[in-house]
Amino acid sequence: MDVAFLIDASQRVGSDEFKEVKAFITKVLDYFHIAPDPLTSTLGDRVAVLSYSPPGYMPNTEECPVYLEFDLVTYNSIHQMKHHLQDSQQLNGDVFIGHALQWTIDNVFVGTPNLRKNKVIFVISAGETNPSDKEVLRNVSLRAKCQGYSIFVFSFGPKHNDKELEELASHPLDHHLVQLGRTHKPDWDYIVNFVKPFVHLIRRAINKYPTKDMKATCVNMTSPNPENVGTENSILLIPGIYEIKTENGELFDDFNSKEQHFLVLENSHSNGSGTATYLMQKLYLFFSTQKLAVKDKEEAHLEETTAQVVDKQEKE
């Protein structure tokens, strides 16, 4: 699996608490099997650690919302990671969890060679995010979960919004959300014991994120909205490798073919809006059908529901 720890290093965290959080991570690292060559190896776990809430950070500026301690391919041993964490410093800025989460996905996961099917983010938080970040956090966390990231949230401290935490964490919440330390010192040993069995659970959950109760929402997110065609609004696609050949003008190919195909888009200034609309509709239909072709038997009900959505989109 590929794992990123997002540590709250804001002004809300006491210096002793920050040390305890680092000690917690060093203990959890023992449960991972680090890849011997994280850049090229397709086997083994890779771990990144980031702290968020640098001083003076504000959205829509050139400043970074996180401090990158190390990324997924920096170290090939737990000892190196633990040694690095000993020297990490607290940031003492304001909290922008949504922007930190988005930066982590865009710069730590996306583009990293040999990205694992299991993509896990641990968010350790001492309080709710800045009011200007709440909408970003809601949208980013939903997109991340639809893209197959599993998000674990460990909250401590008295200033937390339950709804915010529940929207951030993956489902089921009792497997992904731990709230403690609101009125007393957090029991980090308890959290370590909580993490251990779920590290093994994640390993067995390849392609099980997003979970079944999320997939209907994710399908809606992938549906093209005619009102938005031609705008800068993006349409999220549930991740997978979709390689399509269009040399002969046909968008569809044999689902059982193992050949690699590619979709080539040429710039056209004529009838741009109509082309974009047609392309979005065909891509959406293809992706949805491709997903249906690989469903297992226990997801038959979801398959039927998704098929109805596809039919509706095709008619529209």
Side-chain angles (χ1 to χ4, degrees):
M1 66 181 73
D2 282 336
V3 182
F5 288 91
L6 266 174
I7 306 173
D8 190 339
S10 70
Q11 56 193 355
R12 297 177 182 176
V13 182
S15 58
D16 290 340
E17 290 176 319
F18 186 68
K19 293 178 181 177
E20 291 173 353
V21 170
K22 292 197 298 179
F24 155 71
I25 294 177
T26 59
K27 292 181 181 179
V28 173
L29 286 174
D30 290 329
Y31 300 134
F32 297 101
H33 307 291
I34 304 302
D37 189 344
L39 186 61
T40 61
S41 175
T42 58
L43 299 176
D45 304 324
R46 302 185 296 185
V47 176
V49 175
L50 308 92
S51 50
Y52 60 93
S53 307
Y57 170 77
M58 289 299 294
N60 303 319
T61 65
E62 295 182 356
E63 296 183 23
C64 183
V66 302
Y67 178 80
L68 177 62
E69 297 289 348
F70 50 86
D71 63 22
L72 294 172
V73 298
T74 302
Y75 295 127
N76 64 353
S77 78
I78 293 175
H79 174 74
Q80 292 173 318
M81 297 177 185
K82 290 183 176 182
H83 181 73
H84 182 117
L85 288 173
Q86 290 177 354
D87 299 326
S88 61
Q89 301 295 316
Q90 192 169 348
L91 302 177
N92 292 313
D94 200 0
V95 180
F96 291 90
I97 303 176
H99 286 79
L101 182 62
Q102 184 66 70
W103 194 96
T104 300
I105 293 171
D106 292 343
N107 296 277
V108 174
F109 289 94
V110 176
T112 299
N114 300 313
L115 194 64
R116 305 317 195 225
K117 291 182 178 180
N118 286 330
K119 304 180 292 293
V120 185
I121 300 175
F122 289 94
V123 179
I124 304 170
S125 174
E128 60 185 287
T129 195
N130 185 285
S132 64
D133 184 65
K134 289 184 180 295
E135 187 66 23
V136 173
L137 176 59
R138 185 179 302 110
N139 293 334
V140 170
S141 59
L142 179 57
R143 285 200 300 271
K145 285 177 280 190
C146 286
Q147 290 171 332
Y149 291 85
S150 54
I151 303 178
F152 290 82
V153 181
F154 303 121
S155 72
F156 64 99
K159 297 181 179 179
H160 257 303
N161 182 300
D162 289 342
K163 183 178 179 181
E164 178 178 299
L165 293 173
E166 292 171 0
E167 290 176 342
L168 173 59
S170 293
H171 290 187
L173 291 176
D174 57 344
H175 290 181
H176 297 83
L177 174 60
V178 178
Q179 298 175 259
L180 75 168
R182 290 171 177 258
T183 58
H184 59 277
K185 181 179 178 180
D187 185 349
W188 293 108
D189 288 334
Y190 167 81
I191 300 181
V192 170
N193 291 330
F194 174 88
V195 171
K196 182 178 179 179
F198 288 104
V199 170
H200 300 291
L201 174 66
I202 297 169
R203 293 189 193 282
R204 298 195 302 269
I206 294 177
N207 292 335
K208 294 302 182 182
Y209 289 94
T211 52
K212 291 182 180 180
D213 58 344
M214 280 289 300
K215 286 185 178 179
T217 300
C218 294
V219 166
N220 291 334
M221 289 186 68
T222 66
S223 303
N225 183 348
E227 297 177 358
N228 293 333
V229 173
T231 71
E232 294 182 353
N233 292 358
S234 60
I235 294 178
L236 171 69
L237 299 172
I238 297 175
I241 299 175
Y242 304 101
E243 298 166 329
I244 313 164
K245 189 174 183 178
T246 58
E247 293 177 358
N248 59 0
E250 294 294 330
L251 189 61
F252 301 91
D253 194 22
D254 180 5
F255 292 149
N256 295 321
S257 172
K258 294 183 179 180
E259 298 179 7
Q260 291 188 346
H261 303 297
F262 300 91
L263 170 63
V264 180
L265 300 180
E266 295 182 357
N267 187 23
S268 173
H269 298 287
S270 61
N271 194 23
S273 177
T275 301
T277 302
Y278 175 81
L279 177 62
M280 282 299 182
Q281 291 174 344
K282 290 296 184 182
L283 284 176
Y284 175 69
L285 180 61
F286 175 84
F287 289 154
S288 299
T289 307
Q290 180 77 342
K291 290 291 290 184
L292 291 177
V294 298
K295 295 292 183 186
D296 55 37
K297 293 181 179 180
E298 67 183 15
E299 295 179 319
H301 175 69
L302 175 65
E303 183 174 315
E304 180 180 354
T305 303
T306 309
Q308 293 174 356
V309 174
V310 173
D311 291 340
K312 181 180 178 182
Q313 287 295 326
E314 186 175 19
K315 290 177 181 179
E316 292 177 352

